[in-house]
Structures are given as structure tokens and as C-alpha cells.
């Protein structure tokens, strides 16, 4: 396989995995509905996306870097919504327990 074909495969795969993530991200951001999302999973996923982005940058693996650079803000936004929802539930539970 030529270098150009490998790059094409990398960018194509990066596009598909990144694009597959965005419908869920958009739904969460529009509805603020995070009950079906695991906080631990999203925390680990967000850290993994950040790590892969750094890895891609350090190794000059541009498909990996670009895909994760695009994905990280959306994962961070969903993680933020999930954390806020958890805090709100905790606060409500605390207030009801008084």
C-alpha cells in the first residue's frame, strides 16, 4: 500500500469514527438528557480522546490528531452536561433528605 493510500485510509477512518459520535453529542446537547450515559465511561472516553490527540500530535500522525482534535470538544461538552446533571441530582437528594 502506498503512503498516500495509507493516509487516505487514516483520514477516511478518522472521519467515520468522528462522524459517528456527533449525532449522539448533538442529541445530548439539545435535550440535556444524560440519564443513559455513564459518567465513568464518558470521563474515561474523554481522557482517551485527549490522550490519542496528544499521541497523534507527538507522532505527527495527522489523521489521529485531527480526528481527536475535532472530537474532544464534543466529548468534553457532554461530560460537562453529565457532571452538572449528577451534581443537580445529588443536590436534590441532599435537600430532600433534610
Amino acid at each position: 500500500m502506498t503512503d498516500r493510500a495509507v493516509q487516505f485510509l487514516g483520514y477516511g477512518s478518522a472521519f467515520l469514527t468522528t462522524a459517528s459520535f456527533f449525532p449522539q453529542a448533538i442529541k445530548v446537547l439539545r435535550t440535556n438528557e444524560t440519564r443513559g450515559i455513564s459518567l465513568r465511561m464518558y470521563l474515561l472516553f474523554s481522557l482517551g480522546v485527549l490522550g490519542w490527540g496528544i499521541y497523534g500530535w507527538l507522532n505527527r500522525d495527522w489523521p489521529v490528531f485531527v480526528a481527536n482534535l475535532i472530537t474532544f470538544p464534543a466529548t468534553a461538552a457532554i461530560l460537562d452536561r453529565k457532571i452538572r446533571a449528577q451534581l443537580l441530582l445529588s443536590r436534590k437528594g441532599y435537600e430532600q433528605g433534610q
Side-chain angles (χ1 to χ4, degrees):
M1 199 173 240
T2 66
D3 286 344
R4 187 174 182 100
V6 170
Q7 282 289 99
F8 181 75
L9 176 63
Y11 279 110
S13 298
F15 172 79
L16 291 172
T17 56
T18 299
S20 72
F21 174 76
F22 275 90
Q24 183 67 46
I26 291 167
K27 182 178 180 181
V28 168
L29 295 175
R30 283 185 179 159
T31 65
N32 280 329
E33 179 56 52
T34 61
R35 279 184 293 190
I37 296 173
S38 164
L39 176 59
R40 289 181 187 152
M41 179 272 180
Y42 249 86
L43 178 60
L44 294 172
F45 182 72
S46 297
L47 291 172
V49 168
L50 180 62
W52 275 115
I54 293 168
Y55 170 88
W57 179 64
L58 292 172
N59 285 296
R60 297 174 192 233
D61 189 338
W62 304 125
V64 171
F65 173 71
V66 169
N68 289 286
L69 180 69
I70 292 168
T71 304
F72 183 72
T75 64
I78 292 172
L79 182 60
D80 176 67
R81 297 282 170 99
K82 181 62 178 179
I83 290 170
R84 288 175 190 264
Q86 290 288 119
L87 291 173
L88 184 61
L89 282 175
S90 295
R91 192 175 311 138
K92 283 182 180 179
Y94 176 75
E95 290 170 357
Q96 289 175 354
Q98 287 185 340

